Amino acid sequence: MCFSYKNDELYAQDVSIKDIAAQVGTPFYCYSSEKLQKNYQAYKSALAQFNNTICYSVKANPNLAVVTALARLGSGADVVSGGEMHIALKAGISADKIVFSGVGKTEQELREAIKTQILQINAESSQEVETINRIALELGLKANVALRVNPDVDARTHIKITTGKKDNKFGVDWDDALPLYRAAAKMAGIRISGIALHIGSQLLDVEPFRFAFTKAADMIAALEQEGISIGNIDLGGGLGINYNAELPPTCEAYAQVVRETLGHLNKHIIAEPGRSIAGNAGILVSRVIYTKEMGDKKFIITDAGMNDLMRPALYDAWHTITPVAKKRAGLIIADIVGPICESSDVFAKDRITEALAQGDLLAVMSAGAYGASMSSIYNFRPLVPEVMVRGKEFFVVRRRLNYEDMLKEHAVPQWF
Ligand code: LLP
C-alpha cells in the first residue's frame, strides 16, 4: 500500500507524513512514485496484446516530477494546451508519443504542435481542421490529424465531467464526421492518422465504453471502405477510481472491452488515462487550525481550502479524510471546512470522523489528480508545495510559493 498506517501513523511508502509536515509545513500534496508506476504498469500489462501507447493525461497532474516519473516508464502524453505540451517535452516525452486534444486550440498552439510533429492532433471542428491545414501548408509540413468524434453516449458520471453527449461542446457531431474526414483526406497539409474519442471521466461502468468503442469500430469500417485508412484509435481516458466505496472497473476489464470491440481491427491503441494514473497516488495533507461548535453543528477548520483542492466545492466530490495520527478518541459528526471566505469551501459535510483537535494533521485521500492541477491562489493564498516519495526518501517537487512570488507579475501604473 502506498499510503498506509504503521502503529496508527500515516505513511507514504516508508516516509512518515508527520515528518514531511514538520519539514515542509502544511498544507502540502504528497505523491507516491511507486503508485504512479503501478498504475501505469496496470494499463501496460492489460493492453499488452495491442500495439499501444499510454498517453498520460497531463491535466490530471502536470507536476514535472510526476510527468517525468511516467516518461521514464515510457509513457506518452495527452495534452490540451501549449503549456502542457511544453511540460511533456520537458519531461522527456518524445513528440511521437504526444496527442493534443481540446476544442479551442489556438493558432499558436497548433503551429507549435505541427512544427514539433507530434503523434496526433485530435481535431474537434471543421474550422480547426481548416486551420491546421493552412498552418501546415505555411510551414511546408503535414500534420497528423484524427477527428475527435462525439459518439453521443451517456457516460453515467457527474454531469460536469460528461463529455460524450451530443449536447456537450466536445468533438465532431457523429453525422458530420464522415464528410469532414472526406474533406480532410483531400487537404495537402493533413495526414489522417486516426480517430479519437473521450466520453467522460470517473466512469464506474465499462458499458458506456463498449457502446462508444463499438460505434468507433463502425466508423472505422466506413472510412476504410472509402480508402481513408485509420492508424490510431485513441480511446480517451475516463476510468474511475475509488474515492469512497466505489468499485471502479479494473484495467483488465477495460482492456477486455477494447478486445471485444476493436481487437479485430489490429490498430495502434492509444489510451489517455489521467485520474486512474495519478488520483490515488496522491494525498493532500492539512492541519486543523480550529474546531468550533455552533448549535448542534461541529466544524473542523483546516489550513487547506477550496483553492488548494476544489473538487468538493465544484463537483460535490467525496474524498475520504483521515487523521494522520489515529488517536482513537471516538467519532463525531462534523463539517470539515477550509478557511476561504465562501460557503462552498467545504471538504466534507456531516462527515463521521475521528474527533480531530486543534493542531492535528489530516489527509485528504485520492487527491493526486485534479487536485494541485486545479488549485489557485484565491484569497491570495500561496500555492502549496508538492512532495514526491519513493521508498524511504522524499523530495519537494514544487516549493511553496511566497507572497513576493505571487506579486512578481503585478505592476502598479506610474500615475499612482
Ligand atoms: N482525454 C481527454 C480528451 C480529456 O478531456 C480527459 C479529461 C482525459 C483524457 C482524462 O480523463 P481521466 O482519465 O482523468 O478521467 N476535473 C474533473 C475531471 C475533468 C476531466 C477532464 N477531461 C474532476 O476533478 O473530476
Side-chain angles (χ1 to χ4, degrees):
M1 285 289 281
C2 52
F3 299 105
S4 58
Y5 284 93
K6 295 179 192 172
N7 298 323
D8 282 350
E9 277 240 21
L10 188 64
Y11 275 70
Q13 305 301 150
D14 296 320
V15 185
S16 138
I17 294 294
K18 196 174 77 188
D19 289 350
I20 304 177
Q23 289 192 42
V24 306
T26 54
F28 65 92
Y29 277 96
C30 177
Y31 309 129
S32 153
S33 39
E34 282 91 338
K35 189 65 176 171
L36 287 170
Q37 185 167 354
K38 230 168 142 176
N39 289 341
Y40 174 81
Q41 295 299 0
Y43 272 97
K44 274 318 259 189
S45 54
L47 292 170
Q49 79 169 91
F50 301 100
N51 172 18
N52 74 76
T53 305
I54 306 302
C55 290
Y56 165 63
S57 194
V58 173
K59 66 173 84 62
N61 189 324
N63 182 284
L64 184 58
V66 170
V67 186
T68 302
L70 295 163
R72 292 290 154 85
L73 299 171
S75 182
D78 157 49
V79 302
V80 290
S81 69
E84 286 189 356
M85 187 169 78
H86 184 76
I87 210 156
L89 291 166
K90 195 124 197 163
I93 295 178
S94 57
D96 62 359
K97 286 186 179 173
I98 297 178
V99 294
F100 193 169
S101 318
V103 286
K105 307 175 196 81
T106 64
E107 287 214 9
Q108 194 188 336
E109 289 174 324
L110 288 171
R111 194 174 299 276
E112 278 310 307
I114 297 167
K115 267 204 247 168
T116 313
Q117 290 283 281
I118 62 170
L119 169 60
Q120 183 164 287
I121 299 173
N122 295 335
E124 304 208 17
S125 64
S126 60
Q127 286 184 3
E128 185 185 345
V129 169
E130 281 156 22
T131 307
I132 294 171
N133 182 49
R134 176 170 52 73
I135 297 171
L137 291 175
E138 278 165 27
L139 293 170
L141 294 167
K142 259 185 192 290
N144 300 317
V145 174
L147 294 190
R148 172 168 173 190
V149 290
N150 184 325
D152 193 21
V153 50
D154 183 357
R156 302 179 206 161
T157 180
H158 192 283
I159 184 80
K160 287 192 181 161
I161 48 177
T162 290
T163 48
K165 284 287 288 172
K166 225 178 162 63
D167 54 0
N168 296 131
K169 67 179 176 182
F170 297 101
V172 174
D173 190 273
W174 196 262
D175 300 327
D176 298 335
L178 263 179
L180 185 53
Y181 262 114
R182 283 184 201 118
K186 293 199 189 96
M187 296 182 188
I190 284 180
R191 182 185 304 114
I192 302 286
S193 59
I195 185 169
L197 36 109
H198 170 78
I199 58 174
S201 198
Q202 185 56 10
L203 270 74
L204 294 171
D205 176 1
V206 292
E207 290 315 306
F209 287 123
R210 185 189 303 283
F211 180 85
F213 298 168
T214 304
K215 278 188 94 166
D218 294 344
M219 174 76 73
I220 293 167
L223 286 166
E224 298 205 323
Q225 208 155 39
E226 298 193 17
I228 300 173
S229 74
I230 293 295
N232 307 321
I233 309 177
D234 182 343
L235 308 172
L239 212 56
I241 64 166
N242 185 18
Y243 284 102
N244 184 6
E246 301 91 340
L247 279 176
T250 59
C251 286
E252 288 299 338
Y254 177 77
Q256 184 58 26
V257 173
V258 179
R259 213 167 283 132
E260 286 166 14
T261 52
L262 300 164
H264 59 289
L265 296 171
N266 230 352
K267 303 288 185 193
H268 176 219
I269 298 289
I270 298 170
E272 301 174 348
R275 189 192 313 267
S276 48
I277 299 277
N280 55 20
I283 61 174
L284 172 64
V285 180
S286 171
R287 197 179 285 281
V288 177
I289 310 179
Y290 304 115
T291 64
K292 70 173 178 180
E293 291 185 22
M294 286 162 82
D296 290 343
K297 277 210 81 103
K298 293 186 167 63
F299 293 94
I300 296 170
I301 303 160
T302 68
D303 62 2
M306 64 187 281
N307 69 303
D308 303 308
L309 175 67
M310 67 187 297
R311 302 195 67 258
L314 193 57
Y315 315 114
D316 303 314
W318 168 291
H319 284 262
T320 295
I321 299 179
T322 185
V324 167
K326 282 192 180 163
K327 295 190 296 189
R328 306 189 185 278
L331 298 176
I332 58 165
I333 296 178
D335 284 7
I336 303 174
V337 303
I340 304 287
C341 301
E342 298 242 7
S343 326
S344 54
D345 185 23
V346 177
F347 287 129
K349 212 167 176 52
D350 296 325
R351 183 70 63 91
I352 301 172
T353 170
E354 253 198 48
L356 290 159
Q358 190 175 24
D360 285 351
L361 291 170
L362 52 95
V364 183
M365 307 305 287
S366 305
Y370 307 111
S373 69
M374 294 177 73
S375 62
S376 77
I377 61 167
Y378 185 41
N379 281 199
F380 218 61
R381 287 160 50 85
L383 291 181
V384 306
E386 295 170 89
V387 168
M388 186 178 278
V389 168
R390 189 183 69 170
K392 290 187 167 62
E393 49 182 351
F394 78 88
F395 195 85
V396 178
V397 293
R398 187 180 72 191
R399 70 171 173 85
R400 191 183 300 279
L401 288 189
N402 60 42
Y403 302 143
E404 286 307 316
D405 290 330
M406 300 196 293
L407 275 174
K408 257 199 316 242
E409 288 81 30
H410 293 226
V412 179
Q414 62 192 21
W415 60 72
F416 290 119

